[in-house]
Amino acid sequence: QVQLVESGGGLVQAGGSLRLSCAASGLRFSYYNRGWFRQAPGKEREFVAAIRWIGDGTNYADSVKGRFTISRDNAKNTLYLQMNSLKPEDTAVYYCAARSSYSGSDFNTRSYAYWGQGTQVTVSS
């Protein structure tokens, strides 16, 4: 049984930092690309960042480039999202997800077969 469990969310002031983690079980890390998505109230779930299992290639949404960094620890089967210079518009529930490395798109939610339960990030102004 595949499980993705996020942690690290919370309340932070604008300009602050948070580090999200996503621990995976039942899923061999190297066969799946991983991504972070977020969903604000009343909005659709949107892509934030993704990392490939081959060559550590990454993709970021324009809105987070230069502020967020996605990384992974294969030994721990854990995905991370370091979020710096946070803005109130970053407030959302953040989800980690996994998709087959052989098909689909980093940016499309439909490409991802497995999802975590989400962790709330709230940035106050």
Side-chain angles (χ1 to χ4, degrees):
Q1 182 179 358
V2 175
Q3 275 195 317
L4 302 176
V5 180
E6 301 98 335
S7 61
L11 173 64
V12 64
Q13 287 189 332
S17 298
L18 282 174
R19 187 193 195 203
L20 305 184
S21 300
C22 174
S25 59
L27 189 69
R28 185 160 179 175
F29 205 114
S30 60
Y31 294 156
Y32 290 84
N33 295 342
R34 307 296 174 94
W36 288 98
F37 289 76
R38 66 187 182 187
Q39 188 166 19
K43 295 188 177 182
E44 291 187 353
R45 192 168 298 188
E46 65 175 5
F47 169 78
V48 175
I51 189 166
R52 304 292 181 90
W53 75 276
I54 298 175
D56 288 330
T58 57
N59 277 310
Y60 293 92
D62 288 343
S63 59
V64 307
K65 279 181 183 176
R67 301 188 297 123
F68 291 11
T69 303
I70 189 170
S71 63
R72 66 182 188 211
D73 185 329
N74 285 15
K76 295 181 179 179
N77 209 350
T78 300
L79 179 72
Y80 302 99
L81 185 68
Q82 177 66 44
M83 305 186 295
N84 299 328
S85 301
L86 282 161
K87 305 175 181 180
E89 51 264 42
D90 294 318
T91 295
V93 177
Y94 283 70
Y95 299 89
C96 68
R99 69 173 185 89
S100 169
S101 59
Y102 298 105
S103 64
S105 164
D106 281 348
F107 307 96
N108 190 337
T109 57
R110 296 180 181 180
S111 294
Y112 291 79
Y114 304 105
W115 292 86
Q117 82 290 349
T119 185
Q120 176 70 47
V121 171
T122 302
V123 184
S124 63
S125 57

